[in-house]
Amino acid sequence: IMRRFADAGIKMNCQIVCCPGLNDGDELIRTMMTLTVLYPHVDSVSIVPVGITKHRDGLYPLTSFSKEECAAVIDQVDRVANALYEKNGSRLFFCADEFYLGAGRELPDEDFYEGYPQLENGVGMLRSLISEFDCALEDEEEAENVSPFSIATGVSCAPFMKELTEKLMNKFPAVKG
């Protein structure tokens, strides 16, 4: 079906939901190579970790990625993506922010994301948030009518939200944490 879409000139943005022990490692490389053949009709591909919840009764037994496994996925994807970038000027493949958080790695710079084609899949979302926040903070000259606020976030995103809040409080001491 994807070949027919490509033959019809349809651009596709794809997602690989990566599951440890099922479609990572060699299988992930094989999948990426299969999608590479469809470039430029496959315009971008996000690689996201499978979401695990406690509500999995009767479902296939899946596990979350470990820190080392997250790092391995990033390294695999980057090897392929960097070669494609050299050849075509596009990475094509992008890991979700969750892999960087899980691996304890820094987020890539804004240019890495090539205009954020996979933002809705959680690719570059944190980098975009940080960039937009910094830009907005730079434009603000004073904090008027500061009201109390709270920020609800997940555990893995909490350090980023704390960093942004600290930047805000450093610029505007009237804002209290």
Side-chain angles (χ1 to χ4, degrees):
I1 291 172
M2 290 179 75
R3 169 55 54 204
R4 285 181 34 214
F5 285 168
D7 290 344
I10 296 172
K11 291 267 187 191
M12 296 170 274
N13 292 293
C14 305
Q15 182 183 72
I16 299 169
V17 178
C18 205
C19 304
L22 293 177
N23 66 338
D24 59 344
D26 291 342
E27 187 63 23
L28 178 58
I29 296 294
R30 188 193 67 74
T31 302
M32 289 191 297
M33 292 299 101
T34 299
L35 292 171
T36 299
V37 174
L38 297 174
Y39 179 83
H41 300 291
V42 168
D43 197 42
S44 67
V45 181
S46 64
I47 294 86
V48 303
V50 64
I52 306 292
T53 71
K54 63 181 178 181
H55 307 285
R56 296 198 42 78
D57 295 337
L59 298 176
Y60 185 88
L62 294 171
T63 60
S64 297
F65 281 93
S66 69
K67 181 177 183 174
E68 295 75 22
E69 290 169 329
C70 284
V73 169
I74 293 169
D75 292 343
Q76 274 191 308
V77 171
D78 280 353
R79 275 192 298 278
V80 173
N82 290 341
L84 289 171
Y85 188 82
E86 291 296 318
K87 180 180 176 186
N88 302 321
S90 174
R91 296 181 50 75
L92 188 60
F93 298 99
F94 302 89
C95 284
D97 294 356
E98 292 170 79
F99 278 114
Y100 292 95
L101 295 175
R105 291 195 180 173
E106 291 286 319
L107 295 171
D109 292 332
E110 195 164 14
D111 291 343
F112 174 91
Y113 294 103
E114 299 179 21
Y116 299 107
Q118 290 283 343
L119 191 65
E120 286 79 16
N121 287 331
V123 175
M125 197 170 276
L126 290 174
R127 174 55 61 206
S128 177
L129 172 66
I130 292 166
S131 297
E132 289 178 23
F133 181 89
D134 288 347
C135 188
L137 188 61
E138 188 176 301
D139 289 345
E140 285 298 317
E141 294 182 15
E142 59 184 276
E144 296 179 15
N145 304 322
V146 177
S147 299
F149 66 93
S150 61
I151 299 172
T153 186
V155 173
S156 60
C157 191
F160 290 94
M161 298 309 292
K162 183 178 182 192
E163 180 182 324
L164 297 180
T165 304
E166 287 172 354
K167 285 182 187 180
L168 177 68
M169 291 187 303
N170 285 338
K171 183 165 182 175
F172 303 114
V175 174
K176 305 285 185 221

